[in-house]
């Protein structure tokens, strides 16, 4: 996949991870043309891409991946060579209250993209690639030990992870049945600039700034493997260009944190940054009702991508978290913009 000129469709590019991927490709590959397709849901924000929006190799297309005829029409119009598919409903808690929205976007939306790509490329798959960006949550939950490898059986527990697992299966099935050249990556929890403040780290940063309660689910002993978003974007770039067709790669940070330990660290760092007394933000911690079907632990074995493609995280957690906190403190207008409107309604229903 090292064509010097190519028309590349990136879906979900106005979202958290997508915006970092779009920026990386627009800046690093001036000979490519990057088309960013996004319907701009509550999670999509073109502010995230202000610095690249005027680049001549970048085009934004507003549109919905659940609209099959629209998707067919843009594939015909632009004749894409490759797809990096990130558009999704991505928040587990929202999937518990509205599972169908996740089926529509994550399953039907992915199907529409697969059908359009197959139709456009069917006479010659050479040099074409469909890249599906997926999650480690498809593997379900680990106990106290062990890691998810590429061979771990799928065992999703939430409507979100079930919809992502389903879309992974369809991508693989299109590879087996129709020969569609695909790659899939399953990544652990990302954090960093532009992260929507419904997810643990940015949500708690925002609440600490505003001295609001920090609702820790259950006993807080749930474990996640955190990866800085720019390291995910670097991995996506590598897999898109150098990954093998019909392969899956796991991406993770080798960086496990129990939620409660992470939240206490965040409180400590925020107290320092905000010149507050040590221990002040920790007082905001409130243990609340657990998430139904809450996965105990995720931990990724990313040896395959390390050995085959030479990828490993470039940023330590300490560096990444500090960069993240600094970004949110310097971009409080961004936070205020995205926490108005629809978000207020969600927030009052979710944490009543
Ligand atoms: P996000 O919610 O921040 O962004 C999703 C983007 O998709 C938004 O810009 C939204 O407007 C767009 N979108 C949603 N529905 C759409 C539709 N029907 N048509 C067109 N666009 C639509 O998500 P994110 O956290 O950046 O995640 C991106 C991808 O990476 C997702 O596929 C997610 O499953 C996967 N992933 C996320 C993480 C994580 O920690 N955030 C980890 C592993 C994998
Ligand atoms: O593992 C990859 C996945 O990580 C991605 O596929 C998802 O798109 C992404 O949202 C994320 O899912 P999680 O459910 O792990 O992330 P979230 O930030 O919602 O929650 C992280 C942990 O913190 C989880 O154990 C639940 C807990 N939590 C979360 C929130 C929002 C709380 O205790 N309180 C909260 O208010």
């Amino acid at each position: 996949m090292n064509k010097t000129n190519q028309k590349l469709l990136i879906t979900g590019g106005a979202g958290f991870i997508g915006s970092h991927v779009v920026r990386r490709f627009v800046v690093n590959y001036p000979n490519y043309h990057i088309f960013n397709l996004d319907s701009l849901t509550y999670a999509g924000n073109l502010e995230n891409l202000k610095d690249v929006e005027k680049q001549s190799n970048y085009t934004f297309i507003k549109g919905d991946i659940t609209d099959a005829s629209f998707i067919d029409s843009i594939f015909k119009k632009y004749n894409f060579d490759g797809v990096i598919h990130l558009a999704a409903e991505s928040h587990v808690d929202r999937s518990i209250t509205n599972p169908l929205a996740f089926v529509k976007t994550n399953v039907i939306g992915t199907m529409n993209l697969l059908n359009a790509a197959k139709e456009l490329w069917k006479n010659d798959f050479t040099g074409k690639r469909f890249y599906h960006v997926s999650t480690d949550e498809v593997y379900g939950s680990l106990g106290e030990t062990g890691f998810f490898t590429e061979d771990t059986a799928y065992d999703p527990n939430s409507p979100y992870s079930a919809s992502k697992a389903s879309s992974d299966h369809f991508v693989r099935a299109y590879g087996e049945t129709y020969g569609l050249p695909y790659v899939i990556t399953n990544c652990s929890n990302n954090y960093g600039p532009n992260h929507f403040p419904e997810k643990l780290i940015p949500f708690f940063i925002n609440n600490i700034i505003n001295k609001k309660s920090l609702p820790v689910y259950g006993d807080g002993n749930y474990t996640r493997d955190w990866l800085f978003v720019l390291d995910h974007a670097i991995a996506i770039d590598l897999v898109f260009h150098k990954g093998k067709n019909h392969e899956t790669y796991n991406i993770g940070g080798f960086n496990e944190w129990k939620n409660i330990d992470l939240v206490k660290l965040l409180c400590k760092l925020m107290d320092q940054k905000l010149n507050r007394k040590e221990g002040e933000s920790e007082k905001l911690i409130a243990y609340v009702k657990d998430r139904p079907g809450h996965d105990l632990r995720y931990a990724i074995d990313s040896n395959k991508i390390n050995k085959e493609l030479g990828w490993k995280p470039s940023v330590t957690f300490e560096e990444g978290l500090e960069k993240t906190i600094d970004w949110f403190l310097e971009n409080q207008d961004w936070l205020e913009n995205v926490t108005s409107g629809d978000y207020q309604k969600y927030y009052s229903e979710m944490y009543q």
Side-chain angles (χ1 to χ4, degrees):
M1 279 307 297
N2 276 323
K3 290 166 74 169
T4 45
N5 294 301
Q6 62 172 307
K7 286 182 268 180
L8 178 57
L9 174 68
I10 300 182
T11 71
F16 167 46
I17 302 170
S19 60
H20 291 281
V21 174
V22 165
R23 177 176 302 99
R24 184 172 176 89
F25 275 77
V26 168
V27 171
N28 286 5
Y29 301 102
N31 293 332
Y32 293 7
H33 198 99
I34 307 305
F35 296 84
N36 170 16
L37 168 67
D38 200 298
S39 64
L40 301 181
T41 66
Y42 77 93
N45 184 352
L46 289 176
E47 282 292 310
N48 295 347
L49 289 167
K50 266 242 152 311
D51 54 324
V52 293
E53 69 184 7
K54 296 214 166 65
Q55 296 294 317
S56 57
N57 65 335
Y58 172 72
T59 302
F60 173 67
I61 306 168
K62 185 171 187 307
D64 193 329
I65 59 168
T66 66
D67 181 346
S69 56
F70 169 74
I71 294 298
D72 289 344
S73 73
I74 61 164
F75 272 74
K76 280 194 196 106
K77 180 169 175 188
Y78 296 112
N79 201 13
F80 304 121
D81 301 292
V83 177
I84 303 181
H85 174 36
L86 296 107
E89 288 293 341
S90 67
H91 190 35
V92 172
D93 291 327
R94 288 183 190 254
S95 83
I96 295 167
T97 47
N98 187 8
L100 202 54
F102 284 67
V103 176
K104 284 184 185 147
T105 290
N106 300 358
V107 185
I108 310 283
T110 303
M111 288 294 294
N112 289 337
L113 292 164
L114 286 168
N115 282 331
K118 169 170 85 69
E119 196 49 38
L120 181 66
W121 300 340
K122 66 184 176 197
N123 294 327
D124 186 6
F125 284 132
T126 319
K128 307 292 194 274
R129 172 155 282 180
F130 190 101
Y131 183 157
H132 187 228
V133 176
S134 191
T135 170
D136 59 356
E137 299 200 11
V138 299
Y139 299 122
S141 183
L142 291 165
E144 297 291 338
T145 57
F147 292 91
F148 295 135
T149 73
E150 288 78 3
D151 297 323
T152 303
Y154 276 32
D155 190 17
N157 291 315
S158 73
Y160 164 69
S161 52
S163 69
K164 292 296 288 188
S166 169
S167 54
D168 285 4
H169 289 321
F170 276 111
V171 173
R172 200 166 282 128
Y174 271 55
E176 292 303 312
T177 307
Y178 307 110
L180 188 83
Y182 76 84
V183 281
I184 298 174
T185 48
N186 297 87
C187 187
S188 64
N189 288 61
N190 285 213
Y191 69 96
N194 309 96
H195 204 181
F196 194 84
E198 63 187 352
K199 312 281 168 59
L200 183 76
I201 290 181
F203 177 43
F204 280 26
I205 290 176
N206 192 28
N207 281 11
I208 292 171
I209 293 173
N210 295 300
K211 298 191 178 177
K212 285 166 86 174
S213 157
L214 306 176
V216 172
Y217 297 160
D219 60 7
N221 284 321
Y222 295 89
T223 300
R224 297 293 182 266
D225 173 1
W226 293 95
L227 178 70
F228 192 55
V229 64
L230 289 171
D231 277 326
H232 190 187
I234 292 170
I236 289 174
D237 183 344
L238 259 180
V239 172
F240 182 72
H241 290 103
K242 303 219 161 76
K244 288 197 205 111
N245 277 332
H246 296 211
E247 290 278 336
T248 284
Y249 298 86
N250 282 354
I251 305 170
F254 285 114
N255 177 40
E256 290 183 50
W257 284 81
K258 282 200 160 112
N259 291 342
I260 190 61
D261 297 335
L262 172 55
V263 170
K264 285 184 177 166
L265 174 66
L266 204 53
C267 288
K268 188 172 147 208
L269 295 173
M270 292 289 291
D271 281 346
Q272 288 164 5
K273 295 274 178 193
L274 294 166
N275 292 321
R276 290 183 185 163
K277 270 206 304 264
E278 202 184 322
E280 194 174 330
S281 298
E282 256 195 57
K283 290 191 200 134
L284 299 169
I285 293 174
Y287 291 92
V288 299
K289 192 157 73 68
D290 211 348
R291 172 187 278 176
H294 200 166
D295 288 331
L296 177 68
R297 176 171 165 260
Y298 305 143
I300 280 275
D301 177 341
S302 41
N303 276 313
K304 177 175 172 182
I305 188 172
N306 175 255
K307 289 212 176 85
E308 288 189 16
L309 305 180
W311 177 89
K312 63 176 184 337
S314 68
V315 172
T316 65
F317 190 53
E318 289 68 25
E319 288 163 349
L321 199 57
E322 178 156 16
K323 278 181 207 267
T324 303
I325 292 172
D326 288 345
W327 188 87
F328 278 101
L329 289 174
E330 282 156 22
N331 290 277
Q332 291 188 46
D333 49 341
W334 182 94
L335 260 178
E336 276 156 31
N337 287 343
V338 300
T339 50
S340 57
D342 277 357
Y343 178 79
Q344 291 296 357
K345 189 166 168 280
Y346 163 77
Y347 188 89
S348 60
E349 283 169 6
M350 177 73 202
Y351 297 97
Q352 34 186 290

